[in-house]
Amino acid sequence: MRHLLAFLLLLLSVVVPQAARADTGYDLWLRYQPLDRRQADAVQHRAAYLVAEGNSPTLAAATEELRRGMSAMLAPHSFAVAGSAMRNGAVVIGTPQSSPIVAALGLPLAKLGAEGYLIRSATTAAGARITVIAANQDVGVLYGVFAFLKRVQLGQSLDNLDIADAPRLKVRVLNHWDNLDRYVERGYAGQSIWDWQKLPDHKDPRYTDYARANASIGINGTVLTNVNANADVLRPEWLAKVKALAGVFRPWGIKVYLTARFSAPIELGGLKTADPLDPKVAAWWKAKVEEIYRVIPDFGGFLVKANSEGQPGPNDYKRTHADGANMLADALAPHGGVVMWRAFVYAAENPDDRHKQAYTEFQPLDGKFRDNVLVQVKNGAIDFQPREPFHPLFGAMPRTPLMMEFQITKEYLGFATHLAYLGTMWEEALQADTFRPTRGWTVARVLETPVEPGAATGMAGVANIGSDFNWSGSQFDQANWYAFGRFAWNPEARAEPIARDWAAMTWGSDPAIVDPIVAMMMGSREAVVNYMTPLGLGHLMATGHHHGPGPWIADLARPEWNPVYYHKADAVGIGFDRTATGTNAVAQYAPEVAAQFGDVKRVPEQFLLWFHHVPWDYRTRSGRSLWDELVTHYDRGVGTVAAMQASWEGLKGKVDDARWSEVRDFLAIQRQEAGWWRDASIAYFQSVSKRSLPTGHAAPPHDLDWYKAIKTPYAPGNGK
Amino acid sequence: MRHLLAFLLLLLSVVVPQAARADTGYDLWLRYQPLDRRQADAVQHRAAYLVAEGNSPTLAAATEELRRGMSAMLAPHSFAVAGSAMRNGAVVIGTPQSSPIVAALGLPLAKLGAEGYLIRSATTAAGARITVIAANQDVGVLYGVFAFLKRVQLGQSLDNLDIADAPRLKVRVLNHWDNLDRYVERGYAGQSIWDWQKLPDHKDPRYTDYARANASIGINGTVLTNVNANADVLRPEWLAKVKALAGVFRPWGIKVYLTARFSAPIELGGLKTADPLDPKVAAWWKAKVEEIYRVIPDFGGFLVKANSEGQPGPNDYKRTHADGANMLADALAPHGGVVMWRAFVYAAENPDDRHKQAYTEFQPLDGKFRDNVLVQVKNGAIDFQPREPFHPLFGAMPRTPLMMEFQITKEYLGFATHLAYLGTMWEEALQADTFRPTRGWTVARVLETPVEPGAATGMAGVANIGSDFNWSGSQFDQANWYAFGRFAWNPEARAEPIARDWAAMTWGSDPAIVDPIVAMMMGSREAVVNYMTPLGLGHLMATGHHHGPGPWIADLARPEWNPVYYHKADAVGIGFDRTATGTNAVAQYAPEVAAQFGDVKRVPEQFLLWFHHVPWDYRTRSGRSLWDELVTHYDRGVGTVAAMQASWEGLKGKVDDARWSEVRDFLAIQRQEAGWWRDASIAYFQSVSKRSLPTGHAAPPHDLDWYKAIKTPYAPGNGK
């Protein structure tokens, strides 16, 4: 006893100083906090040691993660990696190929595919009660291990387990809009975590933690570079750096992808053209792709932004997007690579409603893309606004693999300091019914259903990850990274349970912590919609950096860059008529959807001004006039933020002080900026509507010119 | 006993997971690692608890730092903050004003000034053996506390203490070349730590740790913004952000300063001129300064880069630097602020040797500056090269306060990944004898000696601090921040003991750790000199970002931007003739110095090519020809890096693995880039000298064109 005590004192003396450090949030949702003693006893009864057979890098990663997580959570119980001793409490992980034990269990793995897993309680012939985590491939074992660790983190029972799960989409990727100088376009979390200058020689330990976090939520690919692409990343000295990252990520089931600048054959190859139908161009790409695969044998492929916002592309040579994508796809196909080709296009010389342009350009190309092309479509037709109706291309290209592009980074939702959980936004988009071909074909179902057996499916998320200690710029933005992974794994998922899982793992599983946090999260995106873009408004932000309100902006070179293009407020009313009397964008949807969106009586009020120009005195469903309803929404948004502040005050002392204080500060910034949006927007729209504010709603404290004069030129993330 | 055990187990279960985290180096030299048991017992015998009277923010900071450090180092002993109970082992801190106990001790504080401190062992009237840390001002107590903590960290005895120390310079400041968008010019440690976007509402806890680290080495000021200045920081909304930082720093004895863009009256004030003799201009600055002091009552003052590399300044209006500086000084004087006016000037239209221009322009202004102006002079006459002779202005302006400007960030010494301890460079500069007015007037003595009693003195260091977890871009670059503070406190300090203190506090006090680390550090800067700029060469780097060698560069717009301007290599020889047969820059030094530097036989060989153009077959002191000696130096530099790598391998397992691995990787990068410098430089100079390499020295593996073709356009820190 005295020796034990002395040892504990010694151990304490070693570890206390580190424990005194403030919690930065670096550990994300993989905190592996010690369970309370009762829980630890119960878990240890079922999971006391690990039996891992096989020695692939992925199985080694799974083994180490399980050891690391369980050791931390079960302390002071130990959780050892044992040989193959099958006593009670063994956790056996492996595939039938890697593990004779797993093979002998004869598990029903067939339906799980390459990435699925199975977690089962079992009893050995000798009577030992064990848990098995099995899969067809090593990466499935890894995913199973993370699922098992999550159960333990959440305090869920390990008795009588019979779990089988597999991802519903094949390509689950992050898109990093990261430049080679570490500037992150639309990044609000510091610099790029890719420290190119020190690669390939120094592999920051953070790369491994990045891979662990992604693997824990099923992300299996990452596009390292900005869609506004730089051809230099395709040079040999840069491919050596990419190779180093790929080597770190590989054990975690993550492939690297790069953005391909369409004009690279000119810039790097010295060709006179990048015409995709020019044989020399195709040959250049073929050789470049072969070079890449020599360096990175499991390279994932290319993401391309072409003929969009100044990027070069096949249209420069009067070729179609399909011509461009297919040329790259042909180069990649022999190696198993894919092309993710963005549908985010709108042309400087096209006077048509920007909402319609992607559909107009891409829908006729349905069926014309190679099998290894995925067309990557943003959730809405404009650009990641706080709320947009679903993109009309979903369901409209039945012969083309479409993948979803969500934006995790909050370019239009307040940057890092606004608490906005995007799970609700994504659920809304995924559960929207396209009616193509018939009722029930939600966006999720469109995404999940391969255009033919074995065809590609996928989802991309524009990353919110940077060099900040907390990765995402704020503690709560970690939830958006987490939720993206969960939706990419299962587009049928729901935002609320995802928020609940994240909150419990990140802040503590006590319901007194989880419940108020989940409530804050679930209402948070609607708050942003209300104080920025209520009732179907959109694209009202300041120019360039997109920080703060700018509904009055009308002087930018291209019409569709100006907020006034979108809200069209005038003395009579407000809103963009996209019905048959206007641009008829509604006609791009299925007839059932078009009928609903196109009818001012039937359109969901949240999309009212997206599709209709409506008089200021239009009677909304609340009975209030549109003007009064608009003002009410602005105040409701600000009020929700104030309520979040009050909720957060109640959590003081229940969560660690460092993270609590950061969130408190950020909520104060959000409250202030929500008020800024509200006041500036009302001041502007009032200057147009000439209406007085409804009773009980305060006038903006300053006049419109005061708001117009606010400049924040150094706001982060501007696309340089 | 059982309760204690249960408690300890509980505590362990809480702290163990955090302890598992990799060490990033975030804690700098303030790690406060637990002492071994024997040492802890000895320390606890002398220092068991803290008696702190008084309640100023600075004393509170001192108290908390002492509690934090001692608790961590003495664990499992406690170190409590007690009332005024004077038992054995009390550590009493305070000033005669704050503490009746201190006042009663009648300590000899008179000579310590405002910032000095005294640490003494004492016995109370009642016979209690105590330690007292006392000062005239609270900030002196804070410095004393850090000095006391350092003794404990270093394992030095606390018996019979009788220590008195005070800084020899008044203004000890960091210069952050940080832009308002968080880009750091010449920054190799990530972004600026000033997260302006979230200020003033969110004060990152890192600001406090920054202040703690600076206070621990006696730094008492920080210039927050880039010398290539942006007037916007003087706007009210930015001053609110500056105020928030000032509030964090104030308890730690640190004042904030800003860079003043000379044209701000035009840019912000709408004036037509920034002429310093225009009364409207002076009035604008007076009002602006008053506005600043209303917001920040202890604002430190301005740092100005004027008429230098494109910055606006008084010369634009045919006024002198004194005119400009004095105008600002007059605005600041009523508030106690100072102007730090940089002497780093060279003019586009001036064909004279760049080495001479600062002296030519500033020396005649001696005596013409206001009392609250310090002229800030770089250590050498060009620009922070790996080795430069001391700046001829030191000693040449006896009626003007001159402050030193050192560059901590390694713009010209390999960025973050080259291990180069700059203490030796700074000692060399500070110990150089100016012979002005007579022998023995070293640069240090010039700096330390006020031009009249009470006049300002100072030292500035261009910070190497950024958002990287390790603050400085590498573990070893922390040593340069540390050493700068030590030299600013005492310019007579020596590099070796500073390195020893830093190594012990940062890596571990075991001589088996300290000795090899100090040996590496002490030879490291000479290694960089040898593989980059041997024998008095300088300014040979690539353009813009300054990453890598570019001795062949000859095509830049201004002559003095080109490396060929500096080395002047030709078929006959190499070196810049700055003697009477050349530009006669030597004449700017005192006659004794000029005689030495100007004589090819007497000039220290390390400055040979700085002052002389010498034939390739000139016989050097080693007996080798200059060409052979040059090649020998290049190889010696690379060899030193290889030796550092070997030393570091020997430390594996003796220091923590995370930091060890980072240093190992960086040394590998350094080895590779040292080879690149060596090979490229030799390939180039050989193309000029047409000489073959001496026996035993390998030819560069590639031809000159290969080295010329290397481009690293995304290297960090470029002045955008």
Side-chain angles (χ1 to χ4, degrees):
Chain A
M1 188 71 162
R2 287 188 57 193
H3 283 104
L4 179 57
L5 184 58
F7 169 72
L8 286 169
L9 284 168
L10 179 68
L11 199 53
L12 262 182
S13 73
V14 174
V15 297
V16 163
Q18 300 243 10
R21 273 188 214 162
D23 192 332
T24 60
Y26 179 83
D27 289 338
L28 297 164
W29 49 88
L30 301 175
R31 295 167 67 79
Y32 302 137
Q33 292 292 292
L35 300 171
D36 69 35
R37 189 55 189 260
R38 189 189 51 75
Q39 283 182 311
D41 289 348
V43 170
Q44 203 258 354
H45 186 64
R46 288 279 169 246
Y49 67 100
L50 170 60
V51 174
E53 297 176 309
N55 59 3
S56 76
T58 295
L59 285 176
T63 300
E64 170 53 18
E65 190 71 24
L66 194 59
R67 188 208 59 72
R68 170 190 189 143
M70 294 297 284
S71 299
M73 290 190 283
L74 290 185
H77 293 300
S78 65
F79 184 84
V81 181
S84 54
M86 297 295 281
R87 300 187 304 276
N88 283 345
V91 179
V92 179
I93 71 170
T95 67
Q97 292 73 45
S98 77
S99 166
I101 300 172
V102 170
L105 288 169
L107 298 164
L109 298 171
K111 286 187 178 168
L112 297 174
E115 296 180 301
Y117 61 84
L118 178 151
I119 306 177
R120 276 207 183 179
S121 304
T123 306
T124 65
R129 298 178 59 163
I130 67 167
T131 304
V132 60
I133 303 173
N136 291 310
Q137 304 285 343
D138 293 348
V139 71
V141 176
L142 179 68
Y143 291 147
V145 160
F146 277 113
F148 182 82
L149 284 164
K150 178 169 146 240
R151 286 194 74 80
V152 178
Q153 288 172 279
L154 295 177
Q156 295 168 341
S157 167
L158 301 182
D159 296 344
N160 304 313
L161 296 177
D162 186 8
I163 298 164
D165 198 9
R168 293 183 180 218
L169 300 179
K170 288 188 174 179
V171 178
R172 306 179 300 277
V173 292
L174 290 178
N175 288 183
H176 286 268
W177 288 357
D178 292 13
N179 294 344
L180 302 186
D181 64 358
R182 296 189 74 181
Y183 187 86
V184 182
E185 182 168 339
R186 310 313 175 185
Y188 313 107
Q191 291 183 297
S192 172
I193 58 172
W194 318 135
D195 190 352
W196 295 113
Q197 174 77 5
K198 303 192 183 89
L199 284 167
D201 303 278
H202 178 60
K203 294 185 267 285
D204 191 318
R206 191 166 193 159
Y207 305 147
T208 303
D209 288 328
Y210 166 86
R212 289 175 54 234
N214 280 323
S216 78
I217 49 177
I219 289 171
N220 67 0
T222 180
V223 185
L224 301 174
T225 46
N226 193 351
V227 288
N228 291 319
N230 185 326
D232 282 345
V233 77
L234 302 176
R235 292 182 188 275
E237 63 269 30
W238 283 85
L239 293 177
K241 298 171 190 278
V242 174
K243 174 185 178 173
L245 289 175
V248 175
F249 301 158
R250 189 170 294 115
W252 302 91
I254 295 165
K255 287 185 177 180
V256 299
Y257 298 75
L258 294 172
T259 46
R261 185 164 164 87
F262 204 78
S263 52
I266 300 171
E267 291 153 11
L268 300 186
L271 302 189
K272 295 226 184 329
T273 177
D275 181 349
L277 300 190
D278 185 311
K280 285 199 293 292
V281 171
W284 186 87
W285 279 109
K286 182 166 180 290
K288 179 53 72 177
V289 166
E290 284 167 357
E291 177 190 352
I292 294 173
Y293 277 90
R294 279 195 299 276
V295 177
I296 307 157
D298 57 350
F299 178 67
F302 291 134
L303 168 64
V304 186
K305 173 177 180 176
N307 294 119
S308 171
E309 300 182 320
Q311 292 296 305
N315 296 172
D316 302 345
Y317 309 96
K318 304 195 192 307
R319 313 298 184 191
T320 69
H321 284 280
D323 293 333
N326 291 343
M327 181 271 293
L328 292 174
D330 288 343
L332 288 158
H335 311 279
V338 300
V339 174
M340 298 173 288
W341 192 273
R342 291 176 98 227
F344 177 67
V345 298
Y346 59 100
E349 65 284 1
N350 187 342
D352 200 7
D353 181 1
R354 176 173 162 191
H355 188 294
K356 293 165 65 181
Q357 296 188 28
Y359 182 99
T360 303
E361 186 141 358
F362 276 82
Q363 196 282 333
L365 298 174
D366 186 32
K368 300 203 169 137
F369 290 97
R370 296 285 190 271
D371 288 350
N372 61 330
V373 175
L374 293 108
V375 172
Q376 182 168 313
V377 182
K378 292 187 182 185
N379 57 287
I382 302 297
D383 193 11
F384 298 135
Q385 294 304 297
R387 168 167 280 129
E388 296 192 30
F390 71 91
H391 201 297
L393 277 173
F394 289 112
M397 297 182 71
R399 291 179 295 159
T400 306
L402 297 190
M403 65 188 287
M404 174 62 82
E405 178 175 319
F406 284 133
Q407 190 179 44
I408 310 172
T409 188
K410 300 208 311 296
E411 176 180 359
Y412 298 105
L413 286 100
F415 297 8
T417 48
H418 292 215
L419 197 167
Y421 172 55
L422 305 182
T424 49
M425 180 160 85
W426 299 336
E427 179 184 327
E428 181 179 303
L430 291 165
Q431 292 306 318
D433 197 335
T434 71
F435 281 85
R436 277 178 164 143
T438 57
R439 178 186 298 274
W441 278 82
T442 60
V443 171
R445 187 170 168 192
V446 168
L447 293 173
E448 289 168 26
T449 308
V451 298
E452 56 187 35
T457 56
M459 186 182 290
V462 180
N464 66 350
I465 295 162
S467 62
D468 279 2
F469 286 15
N470 65 23
W471 296 86
S472 300
S474 81
Q475 305 300 328
F476 272 89
D477 278 327
Q478 297 179 354
N480 293 324
W481 179 7
Y482 180 81
F484 169 74
R486 293 284 298 272
F487 279 110
W489 181 274
N490 179 9
E492 303 293 351
R494 290 297 186 270
E496 201 269 358
I498 292 173
R500 193 161 287 278
D501 288 350
W502 176 80
M505 289 191 285
T506 304
W507 294 102
S509 54
D510 180 352
I513 296 173
V514 173
D515 291 344
I517 287 179
V518 170
M520 289 169 65
M521 293 169 72
M522 291 302 290
S524 60
R525 175 259 186 156
E526 199 66 33
V528 178
V529 170
N530 281 328
Y531 63 69
M532 287 188 182
T533 56
L535 292 172
L537 291 174
H539 207 290
L540 303 179
M541 67 287 167
T543 305
H545 49 59
H546 298 170
H547 180 241
W552 47 78
I553 295 169
D555 59 355
L556 304 178
R558 285 166 60 170
E560 76 281 5
W561 286 348
N562 290 289
V564 297
Y565 171 90
Y566 294 94
H567 63 68
K568 301 197 188 301
D570 54 30
V572 178
I574 182 172
F576 197 131
D577 183 0
R578 291 190 166 108
T579 69
T581 59
T583 66
N584 206 21
V586 293
Q588 293 183 334
Y589 290 99
E592 296 86 340
V593 177
Q596 190 196 22
F597 287 169
D599 182 346
V600 73
K601 302 279 184 219
R602 289 182 60 209
V603 67
E605 208 157 81
Q606 62 189 13
F607 296 133
L608 177 63
L609 305 181
W610 192 276
F611 289 113
H612 300 273
H613 190 77
V614 180
W616 293 110
D617 53 6
Y618 177 82
R619 190 70 28 192
T620 64
R621 275 156 224 182
S622 67
R624 283 185 282 268
S625 72
L626 176 67
W627 168 249
D628 287 5
E629 185 69 10
L630 195 66
V631 173
T632 302
H633 274 265
Y634 279 118
D635 274 322
R636 189 180 297 156
V638 178
T640 307
V641 179
M644 287 199 290
Q645 289 184 287
S647 292
W648 194 249
E649 285 297 327
L651 286 163
K652 186 174 170 118
K654 292 185 180 148
V655 301
D656 61 280
D657 204 52
R659 290 189 300 159
W660 183 86
S661 300
E662 182 186 303
V663 173
R664 178 206 51 201
D665 289 354
F666 286 12
L667 284 169
I669 294 172
Q670 183 177 11
R671 169 70 185 73
Q672 186 181 306
E673 296 191 345
W676 173 28
W677 269 92
R678 181 262 183 209
D679 293 334
S681 300
I682 290 178
Y684 168 69
F685 287 126
Q686 193 171 26
S687 77
V688 182
S689 77
K690 313 290 188 193
R691 276 161 166 78
S692 57
L693 292 179
T695 321
H697 295 271
H702 302 280
D703 66 14
L704 178 58
D705 286 341
W706 192 91
Y707 296 107
K708 284 185 176 178
I710 297 175
K711 305 283 182 230
T712 61
Y714 310 103
N718 200 345
K720 286 197 294 192
Chain B
M1 188 71 165
R2 286 188 58 193
H3 283 105
L4 177 59
L5 183 59
F7 169 73
L8 287 168
L9 284 168
L10 179 69
L11 199 54
L12 260 181
S13 73
V14 175
V15 299
V16 162
Q18 300 242 10
R21 273 190 216 163
D23 193 331
T24 60
Y26 179 84
D27 289 337
L28 298 162
W29 49 87
L30 301 175
R31 295 168 66 79
Y32 302 137
Q33 291 292 292
L35 301 172
D36 69 36
R37 189 55 188 261
R38 189 190 49 74
Q39 283 181 309
D41 289 346
V43 171
Q44 202 260 353
H45 187 64
R46 287 279 169 246
Y49 67 102
L50 170 60
V51 175
E53 297 176 308
N55 59 3
S56 75
T58 296
L59 286 176
T63 300
E64 169 54 19
E65 190 71 25
L66 195 57
R67 188 208 58 74
R68 171 191 187 140
M70 294 298 283
S71 299
M73 290 189 285
L74 290 183
H77 293 301
S78 64
F79 185 82
V81 181
S84 56
M86 297 295 282
R87 301 187 304 273
N88 282 346
V91 179
V92 179
I93 72 171
T95 67
Q97 292 72 44
S98 78
S99 167
I101 301 172
V102 170
L105 289 169
L107 299 164
L109 299 170
K111 285 189 178 168
L112 298 175
E115 295 180 302
Y117 61 85
L118 176 152
I119 306 176
R120 275 207 184 179
S121 305
T123 306
T124 65
R129 299 179 58 164
I130 66 165
T131 304
V132 60
I133 303 173
N136 292 310
Q137 304 287 342
D138 294 347
V139 71
V141 177
L142 180 67
Y143 293 148
V145 161
F146 277 114
F148 183 82
L149 285 165
K150 178 169 147 235
R151 285 194 75 80
V152 178
Q153 286 172 282
L154 295 176
Q156 294 168 343
S157 167
L158 302 183
D159 297 344
N160 304 315
L161 296 178
D162 185 8
I163 298 165
D165 199 8
R168 295 183 179 219
L169 300 180
K170 288 189 175 178
V171 178
R172 308 179 297 279
V173 292
L174 291 177
N175 289 183
H176 287 266
W177 289 356
D178 293 12
N179 294 343
L180 302 187
D181 65 357
R182 298 188 72 180
Y183 188 87
V184 182
E185 182 166 340
R186 311 312 175 186
Y188 313 107
Q191 291 183 296
S192 172
I193 59 171
W194 319 135
D195 189 352
W196 294 114
Q197 172 77 5
K198 302 193 185 89
L199 284 165
D201 304 277
H202 177 59
K203 296 188 264 289
D204 192 319
R206 190 166 194 159
Y207 305 147
T208 303
D209 289 328
Y210 167 86
R212 289 175 55 233
N214 280 323
S216 78
I217 50 177
I219 290 171
N220 67 0
T222 180
V223 186
L224 301 175
T225 46
N226 194 349
V227 288
N228 291 320
N230 185 327
D232 282 345
V233 79
L234 303 176
R235 293 182 188 273
E237 65 269 29
W238 283 85
L239 293 178
K241 298 170 189 278
V242 174
K243 174 187 178 173
L245 289 174
V248 175
F249 301 158
R250 189 171 293 116
W252 302 91
I254 295 165
K255 286 185 178 183
V256 299
Y257 299 75
L258 294 172
T259 46
R261 185 162 164 89
F262 203 77
S263 51
I266 300 171
E267 290 152 13
L268 300 186
L271 301 188
K272 295 224 184 326
T273 177
D275 181 348
L277 300 191
D278 185 311
K280 286 198 293 295
V281 171
W284 186 87
W285 279 109
K286 182 166 179 291
K288 178 53 74 178
V289 166
E290 285 166 358
E291 177 191 351
I292 295 172
Y293 278 90
R294 279 195 299 276
V295 178
I296 306 156
D298 57 350
F299 179 67
F302 291 134
L303 169 64
V304 186
K305 172 176 180 175
N307 293 119
S308 170
E309 299 183 321
Q311 292 296 304
N315 295 173
D316 301 345
Y317 309 96
K318 305 198 190 305
R319 313 299 184 191
T320 69
H321 284 279
D323 293 331
N326 292 343
M327 181 271 294
L328 292 174
D330 288 343
L332 289 158
H335 312 279
V338 301
V339 174
M340 298 174 286
W341 191 273
R342 294 175 95 225
F344 176 69
V345 298
Y346 59 101
E349 64 284 6
N350 188 342
D352 199 9
D353 181 1
R354 174 173 163 189
H355 188 291
K356 294 165 65 180
Q357 297 189 30
Y359 182 99
T360 303
E361 185 141 356
F362 275 83
Q363 198 282 330
L365 299 175
D366 187 30
K368 302 204 169 135
F369 290 95
R370 297 284 189 273
D371 288 348
N372 61 331
V373 175
L374 294 110
V375 172
Q376 182 167 312
V377 182
K378 292 187 183 186
N379 57 287
I382 301 297
D383 192 11
F384 300 134
Q385 293 305 296
R387 171 167 278 130
E388 297 192 30
F390 72 92
H391 201 296
L393 277 174
F394 290 111
M397 296 182 70
R399 293 180 293 158
T400 305
L402 297 189
M403 65 188 288
M404 173 62 83
E405 178 176 319
F406 284 134
Q407 189 178 46
I408 310 172
T409 189
K410 304 210 310 294
E411 175 179 0
Y412 298 105
L413 285 100
F415 298 5
T417 47
H418 291 216
L419 198 166
Y421 172 56
L422 305 182
T424 48
M425 179 159 87
W426 300 334
E427 179 184 327
E428 181 178 302
L430 290 165
Q431 293 305 320
D433 198 334
T434 71
F435 283 83
R436 277 181 165 141
T438 57
R439 179 187 298 273
W441 278 83
T442 61
V443 172
R445 188 170 169 191
V446 168
L447 294 174
E448 289 168 28
T449 308
V451 297
E452 57 188 31
T457 55
M459 187 182 290
V462 181
N464 66 351
I465 295 163
S467 62
D468 279 3
F469 286 13
N470 64 25
W471 295 87
S472 299
S474 81
Q475 305 299 328
F476 272 89
D477 278 327
Q478 297 178 354
N480 293 323
W481 178 8
Y482 180 82
F484 169 76
R486 294 283 300 269
F487 279 110
W489 181 275
N490 180 9
E492 302 293 352
R494 290 298 188 269
E496 200 267 325
I498 292 174
R500 194 162 287 279
D501 288 350
W502 176 82
M505 290 191 284
T506 304
W507 293 102
S509 55
D510 180 352
I513 295 172
V514 173
D515 291 344
I517 287 179
V518 170
M520 288 169 65
M521 291 169 73
M522 290 303 291
S524 59
R525 176 258 187 157
E526 200 64 35
V528 178
V529 171
N530 281 328
Y531 62 71
M532 286 188 183
T533 56
L535 292 171
L537 291 175
H539 205 290
L540 303 178
M541 67 289 167
T543 304
H545 49 60
H546 299 170
H547 180 241
W552 47 78
I553 295 169
D555 59 354
L556 303 180
R558 285 166 60 169
E560 75 280 6
W561 286 350
N562 291 289
V564 298
Y565 171 93
Y566 295 93
H567 63 68
K568 302 198 186 300
D570 55 30
V572 176
I574 181 171
F576 197 131
D577 183 1
R578 293 191 164 105
T579 70
T581 59
T583 67
N584 206 21
V586 293
Q588 293 183 334
Y589 291 97
E592 296 87 339
V593 178
Q596 189 195 24
F597 287 170
D599 182 347
V600 72
K601 302 275 185 225
R602 290 181 60 211
V603 67
E605 206 158 84
Q606 60 189 13
F607 296 133
L608 178 63
L609 305 181
W610 193 275
F611 290 112
H612 300 272
H613 190 78
V614 181
W616 292 112
D617 54 6
Y618 177 83
R619 189 70 31 190
T620 65
R621 276 155 223 181
S622 67
R624 283 184 283 265
S625 73
L626 176 67
W627 168 248
D628 286 4
E629 186 69 9
L630 196 65
V631 172
T632 303
H633 274 266
Y634 280 118
D635 274 322
R636 188 180 299 155
V638 178
T640 307
V641 179
M644 289 201 287
Q645 289 183 287
S647 291
W648 195 249
E649 286 296 328
L651 286 163
K652 185 175 172 123
K654 290 183 183 152
V655 300
D656 62 280
D657 204 51
R659 290 188 301 158
W660 184 85
S661 299
E662 183 186 302
V663 173
R664 176 207 53 201
D665 288 354
F666 286 12
L667 285 169
I669 293 172
Q670 183 178 13
R671 170 68 187 73
Q672 186 181 308
E673 295 191 346
W676 172 28
W677 269 93
R678 178 262 184 210
D679 293 334
S681 301
I682 290 178
Y684 168 71
F685 288 126
Q686 194 171 25
S687 77
V688 181
S689 76
K690 313 288 188 196
R691 275 160 166 78
S692 57
L693 292 179
T695 321
H697 295 271
H702 302 280
D703 65 15
L704 178 57
D705 286 340
W706 191 89
Y707 297 106
K708 285 185 175 179
I710 296 175
K711 304 284 182 231
T712 60
Y714 310 103
N718 199 344
K720 285 198 290 191

